[in-house]
Amino acid sequence: MGKIAFVFSGQGAQYSGMGKAMYDASPAAKAVFDMADSLRAGTSRQCFEGTAEELTQTVNTQPCVFTADLAAARALVERGVTPDCVAGFSLGEIAALAFAGVLSDEEAFRLVCRRGELMDKAAAENPGAMVAVLKLAPAQVEEICAQFEKTYPVNYNSPAQTVAATTVENAAAFCAAVKEAGGKAKQLPVSGAFHSPFMAEAAEGLAAYMKTVPFSDPQIPIYSNYTAQPYEGDYKKLVRAQVENPVRWQTITENMRAAGVDTLIEIGVGKTLQNLCKRTFGDMKAYKVETPEDMDKLEL
């Protein structure tokens, strides 16, 4: 039998009502929401009732998506499903760190709250844009980025999807260059240019915050956004680095596949990672678990 990977979703798919079904159905999920509310009053309310505008603010998005992600994972374990390894996309990596035992739930939640505050501040002080590029190979996207100042590939998602970060002023011209090269460009509704040098001050602030945060060795392998390899060495350096460097998601899933993973379960909000897996691999089963009904559909 092959191995199972839990992969934790990042921000972008948040919506009002996320996590409510799990909260109502699972004591393990409810415990995660209760923990979040004890440290940041109103987190559950934002998840269940928050407006779209409220939930797209990075300071709210990150703690809310983290909570919904971790709650779904704990509900799935409560059902008897456990993974052989984990990873998380961007902020999802913090939920993966909690699940893998590198951080306590409380420390991970405090960390993701601070991360959201720092990234929100950096985005306000260093405005930027993010553009999803489709139908072009990563190397082609890199070539187009090189034509513009302060423009970087930041999410290597699949063989035909790469996200770039650029200045607000460059965004339209960058999109035009992508179309001229035969690709498709879509500017994303985000508040900053994440995983790029635009976030240098946020990364520095997060490193300072983590100096007093206790980290433990992972109980199961957790793959790093920064290296695309299982965590080893200086864990805090890896958490800092992913804020201002590209997410190498395609390589993470390829390395999981090479390690024997044949079933990937996206944990939490949305189905972006499930869809990326289906586009990248033809022989890996991919599911999403966000609700109790999703758990019922698993065929493991």
Side-chain angles (χ1 to χ4, degrees):
M1 182 177 175
K3 296 179 180 179
I4 296 172
F6 282 8
V7 293
F8 293 79
S9 59
Q11 66 189 89
Q14 62 274 358
Y15 66 95
S16 183
M18 61 182 175
K20 184 64 164 63
M22 281 298 200
Y23 176 92
D24 290 339
S26 164
K30 182 178 183 299
V32 175
F33 279 99
D34 289 347
M35 176 276 298
D37 284 336
S38 73
L39 298 176
R40 179 181 179 272
T43 299
S44 293
R45 184 203 61 78
Q46 285 184 335
C47 288
F48 305 157
E49 304 171 11
T51 65
E53 181 180 2
E54 186 177 16
L55 289 170
T56 54
Q57 296 173 20
T58 300
V59 292
N60 297 327
T61 313
Q62 295 203 15
C64 287
V65 172
F66 168 95
T67 304
D69 282 4
L70 188 60
R74 292 284 160 72
L76 192 50
V77 171
E78 191 177 49
R79 282 279 190 105
V81 180
T82 56
D84 298 284
C85 60
V86 296
F89 192 100
S90 188
L91 86 88
E93 187 168 319
I94 311 303
L97 286 166
F99 186 86
V102 177
L103 293 166
S104 70
D105 290 359
E106 292 78 8
E107 290 292 1
F109 186 78
R110 292 188 187 99
L111 177 63
V112 86
C113 289
R114 184 60 179 147
R115 184 180 185 271
E117 292 167 358
L118 290 165
M119 292 175 73
D120 187 63
K121 183 173 183 288
E125 295 176 352
N126 303 287
M130 296 181 76
V131 178
V133 180
L134 306 174
K135 300 182 179 179
L136 295 181
Q140 292 174 282
V141 179
E142 291 170 351
E143 290 175 2
I144 298 172
C145 287
Q147 299 171 20
F148 296 87
E149 291 186 355
K150 296 183 177 180
T151 303
Y152 318 93
V154 293
N155 299 157
Y156 291 89
N157 291 341
S158 75
Q161 184 186 120
T162 305
V163 176
T166 187
T167 63
V168 174
E169 295 77 14
N170 281 343
F174 178 81
C175 290
V178 168
K179 293 174 184 176
E180 186 177 345
K184 180 180 179 181
K186 179 183 179 183
Q187 189 166 338
L188 302 177
V190 294
S191 59
F194 304 130
H195 302 290
S196 76
F198 286 80
M199 292 288 115
E201 292 181 6
E204 184 177 345
L206 194 64
Y209 172 81
M210 290 189 293
K211 285 182 179 179
T212 58
V213 177
F215 279 56
S216 302
D217 290 330
Q219 297 171 4
I220 58 174
I222 170 174
Y223 285 75
S224 162
N225 283 192
Y226 178 56
T227 66
Q229 300 289 340
Y231 262 61
E232 62 179 7
D234 187 340
Y235 304 153
K236 295 180 182 181
K237 180 180 178 181
L238 297 177
V239 175
R240 172 194 172 145
Q242 67 116 279
V243 171
E244 58 181 340
N245 287 281
V247 174
R248 302 191 176 277
W249 191 256
Q250 179 186 339
T251 307
I252 287 173
T253 53
E254 289 172 345
N255 289 341
M256 285 181 166
R257 184 73 185 93
V261 170
D262 67 359
T263 302
L264 180 143
I265 304 176
E266 178 171 5
I267 302 293
V269 185
K271 54 183 180 181
T272 299
L273 304 181
Q274 178 194 29
N275 289 339
L276 289 175
C277 179
K278 288 180 177 179
R279 293 191 194 109
T280 305
F281 303 100
D283 61 346
M284 187 184 291
K285 292 185 290 184
Y287 301 95
K288 66 178 287 288
V289 167
E290 182 181 353
T291 66
E293 290 74 23
D294 291 334
M295 293 193 291
D296 294 336
K297 296 174 185 176
L298 292 175
E299 297 179 1
L300 303 176

